[in-house]
Amino acid sequence: MLFWSVFSTAEAQVPVPAKCSPRLWETAQREGRATAIVEFCPRADLSGAAALSDKAEKGRYVYEALCAAADNPAQKALLRRLDELGLPHRSLVLVNAVVVEAPPAVLEEIAQSPVVCRLHADPPVRRPEPVRYNVQGTRGGPPMLAWGLSYMRADSVWALGINGQGVIIGGQDTGYDWDHFALRPNYAGWDGAAADHNYRWHDAIHALNPLNNDTTNLPTNNPCGLDVAEPCDDGGHGTHTMGTMAGLQDTSGNPIGVAPGARWIGCRNMERGWGSPSTYLECFEFFLAPTDLSGQNPDPARAPHVINNSWGCPPIEGCDPSNFALMDQAIENLRAAGIVVVVSAGNDGPACATVQNPAAIFEGSFSVGATDFNGQIAAFSSRGGVEIDSSGRPKPNVAAPGVAVYSSVPGNGYAFNSGTSMAGPHVVGLVALVISANPALAGQVEAIETIIEQSAVPAYDTVDCSGVAGTAHPNNTYGWGIVDAVRAVQLAQQWTGTAQPIRGEADNGLLLAPNPFSEFLRVQWKPGVARPTQLWVCDPLGRTVFAVENPSFPLEVPAHNWPSGVYWIATDAGAGAAAIKVGR
């Protein structure tokens, strides 16, 4: 493909090219070049992953399918041309994209390629700052150290011998102080005597962020530097979140982590608090198939079971409905690979419809609101429904402790922070406990999420949000309720995995998810798609075994008496059906 010279000094002011983000084009015209996320098409078909029961098999299947989608002559020719033009670029297999900084002429030519779907802007994004919050309560003053552990009954689960053992937690944040007293023993790169950071750490920060307003462009402006070869935290936020997930204890022996038996790996996605869509996607890519420190030899077998995301990308900083689909695709692909994606709901409450930023807004994100130690929703905690994309999607999924949370900070210190950034890690730790309680759940994302939702303690509000009553269950304040580790573990231990989706999405609006038990199948419907008036289920011989008129969703379909086999679920709302495999 022919490109204009990248060394042109005068670029014509031309209309925004088709497939090019207006913000990207504006930046390129103003600055003479801009960083773009070039999304290729078509997307990989990952539907076959749903039929795989083993997490490692899911991960390998998804990774190989994504690599195959990117292995086409036209796409490779475009990348070779970028090399010829001396334009460094980073591939993102997870979303079949490439990140490149280029002048307007090159961006325009890239946009003309039939193999390119969209050129997205890659502006900086800032993480939510911890919230300053009044911690006075009705239980005799401020909460005890790490009060959330006992509130969600994690300590009662430890007494059963379940503490997250056998689970790998991934975190992307400001980085991590891996050598911290509370974090080093559970760092997956530490064997008790020496550290090996290959496959356990990735740094997505390759340059200083201009929003930090440095007077010089020296890597030493960042306390960690750039492209660092071992975990380092340049903002303190990440170390605090990891302590809540998998930390051991403070110097006085007080526990701080929900899953002190889990191991953790990490990725730095922000430079002193500032990130960008490409740095978040790069960390997501690392978790799909961790690499060595040179970024080579990806291995999906080393992927974590769950990822914490205590950050958000607001519209003012570059994320808007025009580019939501890229990050949404990343999350769905990770889920297909058997990885739970937990996201903090945001600190924009108490108004309704304030769960408004990626990645918390997406159906595939397990979004978490924050409560105080009296079980009340925190004033700052964002509420649903999701209206930024006109979906009306209910959020958050659940709520967890997020006020005055005591955890680790860099330099072997400890501190209290508040925010949904602190609530999300409690749920990540709970995912680890659930998998430890029943290792067969590893990779079963829908089942894990359903267990946590169904075991949550219902909580209600006086405020109605987005047409959902505060007294409804679930609601747009607490979701399904406040997480309870004992109840979740009990449900996890009963899960048999007898009903699993084969094709979990139809051409119409049908979505399937297995109930954590064999008795029921949960059927959902895509937001924004016209609802059916009839739904029916056919057995392997084509006989109707269940039917309902004017179904309301989510719908629980009884399956406890069904013989083994493949069942088809269909509606009168367009073509297509979804399949479920039932086995005893």
Side-chain angles (χ1 to χ4, degrees):
M1 181 179 295
L2 180 65
F3 285 83
W4 292 350
S5 168
V6 299
F7 303 107
S8 174
T9 57
E11 303 287 353
Q13 297 295 318
V14 297
V16 179
K19 299 189 289 188
C20 188
S21 156
R23 178 165 183 166
L24 171 66
W25 190 246
E26 178 187 354
T27 301
Q29 290 286 319
R30 183 180 66 250
E31 305 293 336
R33 59 200 305 111
T35 301
I37 304 175
V38 181
E39 180 185 3
F40 298 106
C41 47
R43 294 180 177 180
D45 180 6
L46 306 180
S47 59
L52 303 175
S53 59
D54 181 73
K55 179 180 179 295
E57 291 179 354
K58 286 177 181 284
R60 182 170 56 253
Y61 176 93
V62 168
Y63 182 72
E64 291 177 352
L66 291 170
C67 288
D71 187 24
N72 69 79
Q75 185 170 325
K76 290 193 289 187
L78 192 152
L79 298 181
R80 284 196 301 270
R81 185 57 176 159
L82 294 179
D83 290 333
E84 293 171 2
L85 294 170
L87 295 174
H89 50 86
R90 298 190 306 279
S91 293
L92 297 171
V93 173
L94 178 63
V95 289
N96 196 15
V98 64
V99 181
V100 62
E101 185 181 22
V106 174
L107 296 175
E108 186 174 16
E109 292 291 342
I110 291 174
Q112 294 176 9
S113 169
V115 79
V116 170
C117 289
R118 179 78 176 166
L119 278 73
H120 302 273
D122 187 33
V125 182
R126 188 165 178 81
R127 65 168 169 85
E129 293 289 346
V131 177
R132 303 302 174 194
Y133 200 73
N134 182 359
V135 299
Q136 294 298 317
T138 60
R139 294 185 178 180
M144 298 181 294
L145 300 181
W147 63 271
L149 304 183
S150 58
Y151 192 94
M152 65 182 289
R153 299 203 289 173
D155 50 353
S156 297
V157 172
W158 305 338
L160 303 175
I162 299 168
N163 62 8
Q165 62 270 38
V167 177
I168 300 295
I169 288 171
Q172 60 165 319
D173 213 293
T174 59
Y176 304 94
D177 180 6
W178 78 270
D179 205 26
H180 191 288
F181 173 85
L183 300 185
R184 180 173 60 182
N186 285 349
Y187 173 49
W190 177 251
D191 66 4
D196 180 359
H197 304 297
N198 288 287
Y199 299 98
R200 286 90 175 197
W201 166 252
H202 180 75
D203 192 0
I205 304 304
H206 314 296
L208 297 177
N209 194 302
L211 294 177
N212 279 309
N213 298 316
D214 295 311
T215 56
T216 59
N217 193 31
L218 298 175
T220 51
N221 289 328
N222 186 294
C224 294
L226 306 175
D227 293 304
V228 296
E230 66 178 44
C232 182
D233 188 347
D234 66 22
H237 189 268
T239 299
H240 194 278
T241 62
M242 189 59 72
T244 300
M245 291 183 268
L248 292 183
Q249 56 192 21
D250 66 10
T251 53
S252 299
N254 300 299
I256 63 169
V258 175
R263 305 279 275 172
W264 66 270
I265 63 176
C267 184
R268 181 169 63 149
N269 64 14
M270 287 173 276
E271 199 268 306
R272 286 173 289 172
W274 292 102
S276 70
S278 67
T279 60
Y280 298 133
L281 290 171
E282 187 172 333
C283 283
F284 277 141
E285 169 106 346
F286 172 72
F287 291 130
L288 173 69
T291 64
D292 58 27
L293 289 174
S294 65
Q296 302 300 312
N297 304 305
D299 185 359
R302 297 174 181 264
H305 295 83
V306 58
I307 304 169
N308 183 66
N309 302 274
S310 291
W311 49 268
C313 180
I316 195 172
E317 294 173 337
C319 284
D320 57 49
S322 72
N323 56 30
F324 284 169
L326 193 64
M327 193 174 294
D328 190 14
Q329 179 189 354
I331 291 167
E332 290 299 330
N333 291 353
L334 288 164
R335 288 169 58 85
I339 302 170
V340 181
V341 181
V342 176
V343 184
S344 297
N347 300 337
D348 298 314
C352 298
T354 47
V355 179
Q356 58 192 354
N357 300 320
I361 62 173
F362 300 129
E363 180 72 26
S365 296
F366 200 70
S367 307
V368 185
T371 65
D372 64 17
F373 50 94
N374 292 312
Q376 298 298 308
I377 198 71
F380 57 77
S381 187
S382 293
R383 304 186 186 200
V386 176
E387 298 181 5
I388 188 68
D389 61 358
S390 303
S391 68
R393 184 180 303 115
K395 287 289 180 178
N397 295 77
V398 293
V403 171
V405 174
Y406 179 73
S407 187
S408 49
V409 293
N412 282 326
Y414 299 85
F416 292 93
N417 275 332
S418 298
T420 58
S421 284
M422 286 66 245
H426 282 84
V427 175
V428 171
L430 178 55
V431 171
L433 297 181
V434 163
I435 296 173
S436 286
N438 186 348
L441 280 162
Q444 304 301 327
V445 176
E446 290 281 1
I448 292 168
E449 293 177 345
T450 302
I451 286 170
I452 293 175
E453 289 175 343
Q454 295 298 316
S455 63
V457 178
Y460 306 99
D461 195 24
T462 58
V463 177
D464 302 341
C465 282
S466 299
V468 177
T471 55
H473 183 236
N475 55 61
N476 280 321
T477 300
Y478 296 90
W480 289 90
I482 304 172
V483 295
D484 185 308
V486 171
R487 287 160 56 111
V489 163
Q490 289 172 343
L491 289 186
Q493 290 172 329
Q494 298 174 44
W495 184 83
T496 61
T498 56
Q500 296 299 322
I502 292 176
R503 195 169 78 209
E505 181 173 344
D507 295 335
N508 45 41
L510 193 63
L511 296 167
L512 295 183
N515 188 281
F517 318 105
S518 61
E519 287 84 0
F520 294 96
L521 169 71
R522 177 193 261 186
V523 182
Q524 298 173 306
W525 196 256
K526 288 182 181 178
V529 179
R531 297 297 180 94
T533 60
Q534 292 183 325
L535 179 146
W536 61 92
V537 182
C538 295
D539 69 10
L541 298 178
R543 297 171 298 192
T544 299
V545 296
F546 178 84
V548 62
E549 293 187 1
N550 299 313
S552 59
F553 298 95
L555 175 68
E556 296 288 339
V557 178
H560 56 283
N561 290 323
W562 294 359
S564 299
V566 175
Y567 291 76
W568 293 90
I569 297 89
T571 73
D572 62 348
I580 196 80
K581 181 180 181 181
V582 174
R584 299 289 181 244

